[in-house]
């Protein structure tokens, strides 16, 4: 399991990002290990598999956000899904303290 650490300046909080995958889908790349992000700046998180995935799940502070490879690009959380057949990510246009905590990606 790889831990990615995003530090958000001025707000004094961090975002930790964990990646996991099932045996048939190998995670081959992901967001940079460390990003420095200021409150109000954009955030991009992603995990990419070696083959097409069927579903993608991000966990954050006990809440699960799911999508499928062909699902909607909008999320109920306010971020946008950024997807290809082998990459699942999310884009936040302006980070605030509610994005702090652990993020975990499952394909």
């Amino acid at each position: 399991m790889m831990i990615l650490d995003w530090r958000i300046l001025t707000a004094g909080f961090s975002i930790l990002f964990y990646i996991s995958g099932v045996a048939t889908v190998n995670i081959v790349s992901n967001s940079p290990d460390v990003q420095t992000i200021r409150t109000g700046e954009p955030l991009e998180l992603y995990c990419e598999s070696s083959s097409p995935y069927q579903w993608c799940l991000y966990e954050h502070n006990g809440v699960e956000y799911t999508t499928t490879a062909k699902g909607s690009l909008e999320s109920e959380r306010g971020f946008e899904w950024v997807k290809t057949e082998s990459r699942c990510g999310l884009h936040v246009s302006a980070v605030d303290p509610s994005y702090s905590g652990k993020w975990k990606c499952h394909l």
Side-chain angles (χ1 to χ4, degrees), residues 4-20:
L4 304 176
D5 184 10
W6 283 270
R7 299 193 191 283
I8 299 176
L9 302 177
T10 67
F13 56 88
S14 296
I15 295 174
L16 297 175
F17 183 56
Y18 295 87
I19 298 178
S20 69

Side-chain angles (χ1 to χ4, degrees), residues 5-104:
D5 184 10
W6 283 270
R7 299 193 191 283
I8 299 176
L9 302 177
T10 67
F13 56 88
S14 296
I15 295 174
L16 297 175
F17 183 56
Y18 295 87
I19 298 178
S20 69
V22 295
T24 58
V25 177
N26 294 321
I27 306 265
V28 295
S29 68
N30 51 263
S31 306
D33 290 351
V34 177
Q35 293 184 13
T36 302
I37 303 167
R38 296 182 190 279
T39 300
E41 291 183 341
L43 169 67
E44 301 269 347
L45 300 177
Y46 74 88
C47 50
E48 188 165 7
S49 65
S50 58
S51 58
Y53 66 93
Q54 296 297 313
W55 59 271
C56 174
L57 177 136
Y58 275 84
E59 291 178 69
H60 177 245
N61 292 339
V63 179
E64 295 180 348
Y65 305 98
T66 60
T67 189
T68 61
K70 301 197 188 287
S72 170
L73 296 180
E74 295 180 21
S75 135
E76 66 279 4
R77 173 67 168 87
F79 59 79
E80 294 178 34
W81 291 107
V82 180
K83 303 180 291 186
T84 67
E85 69 177 20
S86 62
R87 184 181 222 180
C88 182
L90 56 92
H91 170 79
V92 179
S93 58
V95 169
D96 65 48
S98 71
Y99 288 92
S100 66
K102 295 178 182 178
W103 287 87
K104 188 173 184 177

